[in-house]
Amino acid sequence: MTDAPDVGELSPPQRTLMGPGPSPVHPRVLKAMSTPLVGHLDPSFVDIMDETQELLRYAFRTDNEWTIPVSGTGSAAMEAAIGNLTEPGDTFLAPTNGYFGDRMAEMARRAGGEVVRVDAPWGEPLDPADVADAFAEHQPDVFGFVHAETSTGAKQTNVPELTDIAHEHDALVIADTVTSLGGVELRVDEWGIDAAYSGPQKCLSCPPGASPLTLNDDAMDKVLSREEDPRSWYLDLSLLEGYWGDERAYHHTAPVSNVYALREALRLVAEEGIEARWERHERVAGALKAGVEAMGLGLNPEDDYWLPSLNAVRVPAGVEDGDVIDYVLDHYDLEIASGLGALEGDVFRIGCMGHGARPENVTLVVAALADAFDALGADVDAAAGLAATREALREQ
Ligand SMILES: *Cc1c(COP(=O)(O)O)cnc(C)c1O
């Protein structure tokens, strides 16, 4: 037997989190998490559940009754949506334009789906004409797309056109809104999205652990009329209905503190107003974009599909991305991330999400990058970048 390990008190560094998530958590959310637990079937918790659902509907812009936090990270909500809406033998159409589209395809395959793909280059949205062609060729039962591709910094535009195409073919549409919910314009009902999932630790600025999911009646009808049970017991929405629906019966123990946190994070969204929040992300991230562009660095996606919540900034000549990332972490306690998949080594991924989308944070990012590029010998105009960010923020 070993002796009791001599482990010191927890004291994580104070980082400024400007990567692809988690984003900085608002102090009110941290405080909510440290309030006393009640049982997950306590009458007071039932009220908290109702309020959380109501706040989630507001953030998603939906009236869907079936709107819940799934226990787990964004991938759990993702697997709940895909695994419940894909029956063995269903054809599932997934995009190829980013890392998370690939994850959708993989989850659909594991659910027993026949996966077919619609192509677009990394960093570009799907073209509705290509989606229409894919529907004509494959007649998919389910179509998944990524609204905000965190791996490329590209936003899917023309969402209502995509959902129209799917509905003309009687298919259901699943949207990955992990990096858009609470940060980028998203209108689930108006845009005809049948199911959308998200994560708490991106634009909602909440710790990971309870992840938003919403399904309309068409989607829920399919879930409840499946011939075969979904492969996951834990994420079976027909069973979860027993807990989140009227019955309030035990299925699994809800992550009580995470639900508190999500409720408080969503209260902050409601206080600010969802549209004002979308506008703030665009404005503050716009100052970051102006700064890096004035330094001479391009953003990966074209302006038309620029995603304010995740900025994919090209790595300048003369430096390695990893050295810059290490430098800003060491000198500024600042977290930014490298590229994923096809963009590895080519871009930095700089988040501007939720409580992180503030002038002081983007000023820090631009100043820290300017210092890192200077110290490491990249050929950029650091002073012009700082001036452009300052000017963009002053105009606001
Ligand atoms: C982060 C992310 C996910 C997965 O969420 P986790 O919380 O990491 O499980 C899925 N899709 C997109 C677009 C994401 O950015």
Side-chain angles (χ1 to χ4, degrees):
M1 281 300 212
T2 53
D3 294 337
D6 179 19
V7 175
E9 196 181 332
L10 182 69
S11 71
Q14 292 276 348
R15 306 286 200 212
T16 302
L17 299 172
M18 298 297 278
S23 60
V25 175
H26 194 285
R28 265 173 52 187
V29 174
L30 290 175
K31 189 164 160 243
M33 284 197 91
S34 65
T35 52
L37 267 73
V38 294
H40 63 286
L41 296 171
D42 189 292
S44 70
F45 195 64
V46 170
D47 290 341
I48 289 168
M49 291 163 72
D50 285 342
E51 290 158 355
T52 305
Q53 290 183 279
E54 204 182 322
L55 288 161
L56 272 178
R57 290 187 192 102
Y58 172 74
F60 270 127
R61 313 309 297 126
T62 184
D63 293 328
N64 290 343
E65 188 184 332
W66 246 92
T67 305
I68 65 165
V70 174
S71 303
T73 70
S75 300
M78 181 175 191
E79 196 136 39
I82 295 171
N84 280 273
L85 289 174
T86 310
E87 290 197 79
D90 275 358
T91 301
F92 189 105
L93 179 64
T96 61
N97 58 348
Y99 180 91
F100 290 102
D102 289 345
R103 185 176 292 183
M104 275 188 147
E106 177 59 14
M107 286 182 177
R109 182 186 73 76
R110 288 177 187 227
E114 301 280 337
V115 176
V116 292
R117 307 299 294 263
V118 50
D119 292 320
W122 276 51
E124 287 184 28
L126 297 174
D127 184 330
D130 294 335
V131 173
D133 288 348
F135 265 92
E137 188 181 344
H138 302 293
Q139 299 294 336
D141 303 288
V142 188
F143 166 49
F145 75 91
V146 181
H147 182 220
E149 212 355 304
T150 321
S151 62
T152 66
K155 179 173 68 180
Q156 179 64 52
T157 46
N158 302 312
V159 173
E161 275 185 66
L162 303 186
T163 58
D164 279 350
I165 295 164
H167 294 151
E168 280 161 20
H169 290 81
D170 293 323
L172 290 170
V173 179
I174 302 177
D176 179 318
T177 65
V178 176
T179 296
S180 57
L181 179 68
V184 178
E185 182 177 13
L186 167 68
R187 300 178 188 276
V188 165
D189 286 2
E190 200 178 313
W191 292 357
I193 295 167
D194 298 296
Y197 59 83
S198 190
Q201 77 276 18
K202 314 251 171 145
C203 299
L204 298 177
S205 273
C206 186
S211 297
L213 173 68
T214 187
L215 284 85
N216 67 12
D217 288 345
D218 291 343
M220 219 40 213
D221 283 350
K222 174 155 186 188
V223 171
L224 297 176
S225 61
R226 287 177 63 104
E227 279 171 26
E228 203 175 290
D229 290 337
R231 293 183 178 179
S232 167
W233 175 89
Y234 189 64
L235 297 172
D236 182 338
L237 294 176
S238 69
L239 299 179
L240 283 173
E241 190 186 40
Y243 181 53
W244 286 97
D246 294 333
E247 217 177 311
R248 307 288 173 163
Y250 170 71
H251 174 261
H252 67 267
T253 310
V256 172
S257 305
N258 289 93
V259 175
Y260 290 172
L262 184 62
R263 178 182 176 280
E264 191 62 23
L266 290 165
R267 248 162 55 82
L268 286 161
V269 174
E271 281 172 27
E272 181 174 7
I274 188 73
E275 290 180 349
R277 195 174 170 101
W278 296 336
E279 196 267 332
R280 168 168 62 85
H281 279 76
E282 198 164 314
R283 192 160 34 85
V284 174
L288 169 68
K289 179 172 182 282
V292 294
E293 286 177 346
M295 280 188 202
L297 307 180
L299 256 64
N300 178 54
E302 281 178 32
D303 282 356
D304 287 349
Y305 351 115
W306 168 59
L307 180 62
S309 49
L310 196 287
N311 298 272
V313 176
R314 292 207 169 278
V315 178
V319 289
E320 291 291 327
D321 59 340
D323 294 339
V324 175
I325 290 166
D326 290 348
Y327 187 94
V328 299
L329 190 72
D330 289 346
H331 291 77
Y332 294 90
D333 265 325
L334 171 65
E335 180 179 285
I336 60 170
S338 57
L340 262 186
L343 292 173
E344 200 180 331
D346 295 340
V347 297
F348 301 109
R349 291 183 304 141
I350 305 177
C352 193
M353 303 181 186
H355 191 53
R358 284 177 294 143
E360 56 266 49
N361 286 33
V362 296
T363 302
L364 172 67
V365 169
V366 175
L369 283 178
D371 179 19
F373 291 151
D374 188 47
L376 299 170
D379 183 19
V380 302
D381 191 345
L386 286 162
T389 294
R390 196 166 57 229
E391 202 173 307
L393 289 170
R394 201 176 278 162
E395 279 167 8
Q396 296 178 2

